[in-house]
Amino acid sequence: MVRIGYTMMTEQAGPRELVGHVVRAEEAGFDFSVTSDHYFPWLASQGHAPYAWSVLGAAAQATSRIPLMTYVTCPTFRYHPAVVAQKAATVQLLSEGRFRLGLGSGENLNEHVVGGGWPSVDVRHEMLEEAVEIIRALFAGGHVNHRGTHFDVESARLWDVPDEPPPIGVAVSGKRSCALAGRLADLVIATEPKAELLDAFDRHGGQGKPRVGQLPVCYDPDRDAAVERAHSQFRWFGSGWKVNSELPHPDSFAAATQFVRPDDVAGSIPCGSDPADFVEAVRPYAEAGFTEVALVQIGGASQPPYLDWSEKTLLPALRDAFG
């Protein structure tokens, strides 16, 4: 059985629109939702980047059933981990226990804005591990003092703590992040349907824990229009995380993908209105062992027709295929 989720992609819609979209996703029957947490869009053609945590607070009040999740927040540069713990605890209370805190080591695209430089991936993983330690200590209640390699915490305490703290997910892309997630996370997050990532997660303590993937899709009754939109806004996706985490600006992504063709994008992202194509795109995640897959419909203005189509056509097809 694979649960199907909806993505509030902050890079392609404004804050009010994002909240309206997740309300409709709940009505349409999506099993859960996730939210990106960006300071910049990947490409200027996407055109947005509102503050994800304000959107989450509004979404928590506007919805009643659908789970919410960051996919993902970097708790080490723009945000101090003590502040992330406070934000996550607050959203968990506002949503009455529907929130999961997805964390990752970040992308230069978003984190460079605070001027702290961009260290090597090994250092970023060290920072993430220390951040998770601080966040869990604050979720436990009481005062926290911490003198670490990368962070200090001075007599911090969360005064509004949920009875059940938000589960913590960690995004993975290679061996070291899988080992970190297996030891520290309640669930694992990935954007590629690679069974070896889940196997490594299991070897380090992840057995039986949820595993959440994400897949871009582009619904449109006119397949050519879908391919054109996917190419315009999502051609960066196929570059892989080792590249995507390093580039500092939307112009960098535009330059890096200038030779990507529309047919290249259509070969990796299902486009059009045939639900069978979307089912086949989800299948590698199901076969790899993912328990949840969040779909990203490309294009902010295309969300209402996509959500209507999902309710009537896509979600029934996916449930027929995957339970």
Side-chain angles (χ1 to χ4, degrees):
M1 181 176 179
V2 179
R3 299 172 71 231
I4 303 300
Y6 175 77
T7 299
M8 287 188 285
M9 192 171 187
T10 59
E11 301 95 289
Q12 62 180 18
R16 293 179 64 88
E17 290 76 18
L18 289 164
V19 175
H21 297 159
V22 77
V23 168
R24 180 68 186 99
E26 180 178 72
E27 294 171 348
F30 280 88
D31 297 315
F32 67 101
S33 68
V34 303
T35 308
S36 57
D37 186 354
H38 270 237
Y39 203 93
F40 276 84
W42 299 98
L43 294 168
S45 56
Q46 293 176 314
H48 294 274
Y51 184 53
W53 290 88
S54 297
V55 173
L56 282 166
Q61 293 297 284
T63 59
S64 60
R65 176 195 61 81
I66 194 167
L68 306 167
M69 178 181 177
T70 50
Y71 204 102
V72 293
T73 286
C74 176
T76 53
F77 291 93
R78 279 182 297 152
Y79 311 136
H80 189 283
V83 176
V84 173
Q86 184 188 36
K87 295 192 289 190
T90 299
V91 174
Q92 179 76 324
L93 289 166
L94 285 170
S95 65
E96 299 182 295
R98 290 183 284 132
F99 180 64
R100 296 182 291 180
L101 176 61
L103 300 176
S105 57
E107 300 100 18
N108 196 5
L109 176 69
N110 303 301
E111 309 308 322
H112 79 271
V113 297
V114 296
W118 191 239
S120 69
V121 66
D122 288 348
V123 173
R124 301 199 307 264
H125 284 150
E126 287 178 6
M127 296 176 75
L128 178 59
E129 183 165 359
E130 190 174 338
V132 173
E133 177 186 347
I134 292 166
I135 291 166
R136 286 207 184 275
L138 287 163
F139 282 170
H143 286 84
V144 173
N145 289 282
H146 177 90
R147 295 288 180 270
T149 303
H150 301 286
F151 301 105
D152 292 336
V153 180
E154 185 73 38
S155 189
R157 175 188 170 187
L158 299 182
W159 287 85
D160 292 278
V161 183
D163 292 335
E164 292 292 332
I168 293 176
V170 169
V172 301
S173 60
K175 292 180 180 179
R176 180 158 185 181
S177 56
C178 288
L180 191 156
R183 287 187 288 106
L184 300 180
D186 302 306
L187 58 139
V188 69
I189 295 164
T191 57
E192 297 176 283
K194 293 182 177 180
E196 58 265 31
L197 295 176
L198 304 185
D199 291 342
F201 176 64
D202 287 347
R203 286 197 302 272
H204 293 278
Q207 298 94 336
K209 297 177 182 178
R211 47 225 49 217
V212 187
Q214 190 177 53
L215 170 69
V217 301
C218 198
Y219 163 78
D220 197 292
D222 181 342
R223 187 177 184 276
D224 291 340
V227 171
E228 180 181 354
R229 187 167 68 246
H231 179 260
S232 171
Q233 297 193 23
F234 241 80
R235 63 184 182 274
W236 57 271
F237 188 77
S239 300
W241 218 248
K242 290 183 179 180
V243 174
N244 290 344
S245 65
E246 300 294 337
L247 299 178
H249 194 274
D251 290 347
S252 307
F253 283 88
T257 59
Q258 62 182 309
F259 299 115
V260 176
R261 301 168 303 174
D263 286 349
D264 298 328
V265 175
S268 59
I269 296 174
C271 295
S273 58
D274 185 347
D277 294 337
F278 292 67
V279 168
E280 290 310 305
V282 171
R283 192 174 302 282
Y285 289 85
E287 292 176 346
F290 285 84
T291 57
E292 306 176 41
V293 178
L295 305 181
V296 188
Q297 165 66 6
I298 297 170
S302 71
Q303 301 301 308
Y306 164 73
L307 288 163
D308 291 344
W309 178 72
S310 294
E311 181 177 22
K312 298 173 183 176
T313 303
L314 179 59
L315 289 175
L318 290 170
R319 287 176 181 138
D320 284 346
F322 306 115

